[in-house]
Amino acid sequence: MLSQSVNGSVYQQIANATLSNGAYSIQHTISSPGTYTFRASFAGNCQLNPAQSSSVMVSSAQAPAGTDYTLYIGGGVI
């Protein structure tokens, strides 16, 4: 699960990613200027314990009219 916090708000889930060969990627469009903090988490299963990644912060400025900011997020499992 990938979650985001916008400008210090409570984290909200934005995607469920499926691992493929130990890695995942998603595409996420940033809709407005601000500071976005992302983190990934895994609920765990019968073989693996729950886990949560470190947070990653991205700042976005006002885009020129007609510009679309798309963030590509990827990660992996070690």
Side-chain angles (χ1 to χ4, degrees), residues 8-50:
S9 67
V10 173
Y11 278 91
Q12 299 291 322
Q13 181 179 344
I14 59 170
N16 275 319
T18 301
L19 290 177
S20 175
N21 295 319
Y24 69 89
S25 66
I26 67 154
Q27 180 177 327
H28 178 63
T29 301
I30 295 175
S31 58
S32 61
T35 301
Y36 293 77
T37 306
F38 298 91
R39 69 180 179 201
S41 60
F42 173 67
N45 61 26
C46 62
Q47 296 176 320
L48 301 169
N49 291 327

Side-chain angles (χ1 to χ4, degrees), residues 1-3 5 7-8 10-11 18 20 23 33 36 38 45 47-48 50-51 58 62-63 66-67 69-72 77:
M1 176 175 71
L2 187 68
S3 301
S5 167
N7 299 321
V10 173
Y11 278 91
T18 301
S20 175
Y36 293 77
F38 298 91
N45 61 26
Q47 296 176 320
L48 301 169
V58 176
Q62 181 66 43
T67 302
Y69 284 140
T70 301
L71 181 65
Y72 295 90
V77 175

